[in-house]
Amino acid sequence: GISDGEEQGGPGEQRSSPTHPPFGKKQLPSIPKNAVPITKAASPASSTESANGTHASYGPFYLEYSLLAEFTLVIKQRLPGIYVQPSYRSTLMWFGVIFIRHGLYQDGVFKFTVYIPDNFPDGDCPRVIFDTPVFHPLVDSVSGELDVRRAFTKWRRNHNHIWQVLMYARTIFYKINTMDPLNPEAVVLYDKDFQLFKSKVVDSVKLCNSHLFDQPKIDDPFAISFSPWNPAVHEEAKDKMFRWPEDYNKGPLVSGLSWVKPGSTQPFSKEDIPLQT
Amino acid sequence: MTSMVVNGKRGGQSLVLKGVDPETCMIVFKNHWAQVVKILEKHDPLRSNVGGLGGGHGLGGGGGLASFRFGAIPGDEASAVQNYVEHMLFLLMEEECGQNGAMGPILEFVVMENVLERLFIWSLRREFTDDMKLEQLKMYEMLIGQAKQPLLHHKPVLKPLMMLLSSCSGSPSGPSSSAVETELVLLLNQLCCVLAKDPSVLELFFHTSEDQGAANFLIFSLLIPFIHREGSVGQQARDALLLIMALSAENQVVAKHIAENTYFCPVLATGLSGLYSSLPTKLDVPSEEWHCLHREDWQQLPALVQFLNSLEFCNAVIQVAHPSIRDQLVGYIHNGFLVPVLAPALHKLTLEEVMTTTAYLDLFIRSVSEPALLHTLLSFILLHRHDNVHILDTLVSRINTPFQLGTVSLALFRTLIGLHCEDVMLQLVFKYLIPCNHMMLSQRRVLRERDCYSVSAAKLLALTPSCCSPEVIPPPLRQLDSILWSKGTDGSHIGTMESKEVLSEEDDCGNSCVIGSEIYLDVSYLDYLCDAQNSISHCIRACCVWSAPYDGENPPPEEYQRSTLEEAGRTRPPITSKKTPNKMHHSGPPLKDLTATPGLLELEWDDSYDACPTQPHPEEDQETRPIPDEPPKHIQELRRTAVMIVKGSYIEESEFQNDVMVYDLVAQKDAHDSGNGYHAPSKPTEPAKQEVLDGPVTDQKTANSESLMSNGLSSPLDEMDSKKRGSQSEHKSLEGEDLMAQYEELIRTLGAQHSSPAKADGELKSPTVLMDDEEDEIDFNSFSPETPETEKLPSPFGTKPRSGSRGHAVPFTGPFLSVLLSRLENMPSNSLHVNLLLTGILAQLAAYPQPLLRSFLLNTNMVFQPSVRSLYQVLASVKNQIEQWSANNKDFPELLTAAQHSLLARESSLRDSQNGDWFHGSEADRIKKNPTIQPKTVVPLNETEVYATVLFTEFLKELAAFAQEHSILSYPPTEQ
């Protein structure tokens, strides 16, 4: 109700899952809101004022929207070769994939998962864990976790954003940093036997790519999964992607009005207004 | 009657006719015609004049010479002709096209022998009564509707048809009966359908070089008097006109003719004025809550329905017509209706009248959809100045009147804001925000930042009064709606929303999400979020056509700084307090009582922080002060002319009328000589003219004889003029021979005339010439169809310059925002419906994506100049009032619960009744109509604080939802 400022959800009018129209966030299809407020008992009180209890009631919404805002920022950044998608069950978990287009790790396709602390943005920095541990000085060879903390020693709200973490996750494959490694073996090879390092990287890339078509590690409707090209499945989706801007404009026809000449702040300053005889 | 006979026979005959070969049909047709001709010739005054001497045909011998020549036609002969004609028509209709689209033999015969014209003359020869007209009209209607080959391409068909049409509208035989009008419009409509389908016919109609002359124009102009007619006749006429309008879009000739040679646009536009003048000047307001005209309201007012019909017609014309017509019409509406009629009406004497006009204006804007027409209405509101004050300023100032006018004005602004019109928003809001004076300099760069962590939403929601806090007292009605997040140790989770959903998840990596303690989540908030997202994305898409993003950089603040400072100075006169409403109070006796009531005056807004911006200066006060009792002269004038035009004294010149006149002379002569055919209406008399000018406005007659004649007199056919004059003034003494001589001469001159029509056209078609001759009062040229106003703009912002620089450079967000916020601050004492409107408008504004407005309304972290009051501050003030009030009222919690119940009941009843309603934002308007659920305890509406508290709490959620949705909406791809 535009002009109505009162209860909209009367009894019997429950909307179990108010799905957002896919306006402007194509990559985020209908995350059910009810799945989101997964939160620790402690978290609501940790940020902003909670003087009269409203925060407790609305805290999950703030968290949800903070993460959606982060996601919107990611989209705006248009990070090259990086794709992410929040999971179905929680916006605190995002699935992602990085395509490396040149350098040592060329042709690598690395799937990963981002875990965001539930007291975001006031907690630690998000964690990034590769599905398959990539051979890399900053990636733990067992857990596949990327050392994010070295870049974001303290997560600062308003300054740090998740897109920066994603950007960082991409950068490590182009610019190798050997300080305080999570994978000391990689550093030793890098320093001592670069050829061997290179061949191990190539092996690792091959290994990762060989698992590309595996079922996603985490069972989630929004998990990223790859499959060989199948025109029956993919052709239509591809078409749709290319058509996207048009489809966008096809929505219900709404048009405002303007007779203001660009660069003017005068009403009815446009010249081609229909008022001459 | 005739047509019934015809129809009846046709059914039977068509069976018979099947299989009959064309030759037989032709023979039958010719035989019939021969019989008809016999009778026709027998009574033809020209022939009998000569042929009578030659012994005639011996047959009629008994009648005596006089009656033989001029007397009434014997009934049996008339019906014989009638019978033959019916058969002939039928044969003609049934005839198929010849080969390669050539005429069939019967049609060819009809054309060669000029059958139809002769039949028309025959009917004139007889008494040309309404019955006769009906007969002829129906004949053509049938022919055109059912003939199997195109007929209108042939001049011998077209010409008598045109003469018939002409005689039916403006014939000297007086006003046509409504039956004739109905039939006439039906036929015209049919013709327009043919035109629309077959543009080649249009060509024929338009060949001015041929002697059809203004044939098409005739069809068109005959429809004009019916433009504003109510009922199905009017509707049919309007439909027919629209067909021609659509033709005009593609046919430059038609467009040019309509725009330059007809009074279509002026009649249409000034007709609005005429119709407006018959609207009630005061509405019976059903209740104090009423604030806008809904369908169910205006459907009760026939005059308003009629006005809206005509307005809708204007809208449709503008939609389909050629741009030249559109522009002209729009110009006339501005100069012939808005400025001379609506502007003064908006400044009437009493509150009720002004309120009524405001409600009308609101309704008009809602009824119109064509951008060009909206442009006219809006530029009138935004740019026109009445008594040197912009209409917009006046309207804004009225928001503040504590009476119903204030509410109605609010409703008008709700409509205006809902248009998503940049020009409106610029004048109302943005021009005050562009310079960024309202915020601290350091804040400018923050302007476009998004609220990533819902901080503003949290701050807004934190204003929830303690009595309504969901944690402290979970609102009873919402318990069902709340999600209960329980400690999920046993794995069974209670979630009313979707209980099957697993809420706790342990993933491989040990990232556990632990369910929190019991929290009531306000599920209704999801609906607000959803609504907010819809509103914002709708608004974003609507604003795609805007010229600038209004983001603090474009338009650049610096460039507009200076002028806006002046502006601010202008609209910020010294605080003299409480004078705005007084302006109204002066206006009339009904208000005196109100001014005497201190209680009401206290409702006036507190201008201590907000310096009543529309406060008129003393000298201005004088200007705007009561105006004489009578409506301004120009309105009276306009009303009179408009009424006259609408009600039917409108005619256009047509060469066909010349033909008709000739025939008519013959008929008159006959009638007189025979001595028993005298018809008062067929005689042009002075009283007839009086009747039209002064007669009752409900008289729906068409042109009378005198105006037709004077119309004829303005024709350049001097020769003909003199003849006609003579024939009119002296017709009683006319000799038969004279008449015949005239007849023949006229036929000749007409023929000659048609061969060189171009010469005459220039003079003939000049409206001024015609109108000056015809009706001195009508001077359409006084309404220039050109844009007014724009050139009068004195300052870059289109506001009038003021002397003095009082209060200069005081940051100010403009009168509109100030007045809204000041009324909002009075929320606890406002009535429910006022609060619904206020919060509704603010919610509309909150949906706008422009950073300047978004940051002003929703960014709670912005630091504004001390003199600028932000929405957040006002809300905080309301919260404090509510807290104080609830602390002092012990029974407040119960009242609150009851009020929630009744508002929910209202909500659900609205939801029921709302389906299919056309006006989206109207749900708030029908407070307590059709309550389906009766709340147990009814909190009296005068317990405004209780309702305001409920509303306030919900409003906070609404605003918070807007703030949150703004933070996550990505903008259209074009932006990136």
Side-chain angles (χ1 to χ4, degrees), chain A residues 228-276:
Chain A
W229 179 260
N230 175 359
V233 177
H234 298 118
E235 201 70 61
E236 192 194 332
K238 185 181 150 197
D239 277 4
K240 231 175 164 180
M241 283 166 99
F242 282 107
R243 271 204 321 270
W244 179 54
E246 299 163 37
D247 286 352
Y248 176 85
N249 291 325
K250 271 188 203 149
L253 194 69
V254 280
S255 183
L257 299 163
S258 172
W259 293 281
V260 181
K261 193 169 115 189
S264 164
T265 49
Q266 286 215 37
F268 305 106
S269 46
K270 250 184 199 166
E271 274 135 21
D272 58 338
I273 52 170
L275 262 186
Q276 83 294 11

Side-chain angles (χ1 to χ4, degrees), chain A residues 103-116:
Chain A
L104 286 172
Y105 290 84
Q106 184 168 351
D107 297 331
V109 181
F110 307 122
K111 291 210 275 182
F112 63 91
T113 308
V114 181
Y115 295 94
I116 299 148

Side-chain angles (χ1 to χ4, degrees), chain B residues 69-141:
Chain B
R69 284 178 57 196
F70 299 115
I73 290 145
D76 56 338
E77 287 183 332
S79 64
V81 170
Q82 191 57 42
N83 271 330
Y84 287 129
V85 167
E86 278 168 22
H87 281 93
M88 287 162 58
L89 286 182
F90 182 70
L91 290 165
L92 176 58
M93 269 167 15
E94 289 295 312
E95 187 184 57
E96 303 281 348
C97 266
Q99 285 195 333
N100 302 325
M103 281 187 272
I106 295 180
L107 178 57
E108 198 172 350
F109 184 79
V110 166
V111 168
M112 295 295 290
E113 292 287 313
N114 215 359
V115 169
L116 291 171
E117 186 168 355
R118 289 175 75 179
L119 286 174
F120 176 66
I121 295 169
W122 164 255
S123 59
L124 282 181
R125 271 278 295 126
R126 299 163 60 202
E127 295 161 28
F128 198 51
T129 57
D130 282 353
D131 282 347
M132 203 67 77
K133 289 178 189 169
L134 277 175
E135 193 177 277
Q136 290 270 314
L137 287 170
K138 284 179 177 166
M139 181 180 95
Y140 280 102
E141 187 200 322

Side-chain angles (χ1 to χ4, degrees), chain B residues 760-809:
Chain B
D761 257 6
E763 297 161 86
L764 246 182
K765 301 288 162 58
S766 157
T768 342
V769 173
L770 174 70
M771 296 316 276
D772 283 347
D773 278 353
E774 194 177 41
E775 312 272 10
D776 287 346
E777 301 88 334
I778 306 175
D779 182 9
F780 287 120
N781 298 301
S782 65
F783 311 126
S784 149
E786 269 144 37
T787 333
E789 307 307 332
T790 22
E791 70 276 13
K792 296 182 197 160
L793 295 180
S795 81
F797 285 101
T799 43
K800 62 188 156 160
R802 296 227 188 162
S803 54
S805 53
R806 280 168 290 190
H808 54 103

Side-chain angles (χ1 to χ4, degrees), chain A residues 39 53 66 70 79 133 141 151 155 157 186 230 261 274:
Chain A
T39 175
S66 299
E70 289 291 333
L79 304 172
S141 59
W155 188 261
R157 57 168 24 217
N230 175 359
K261 193 169 115 189

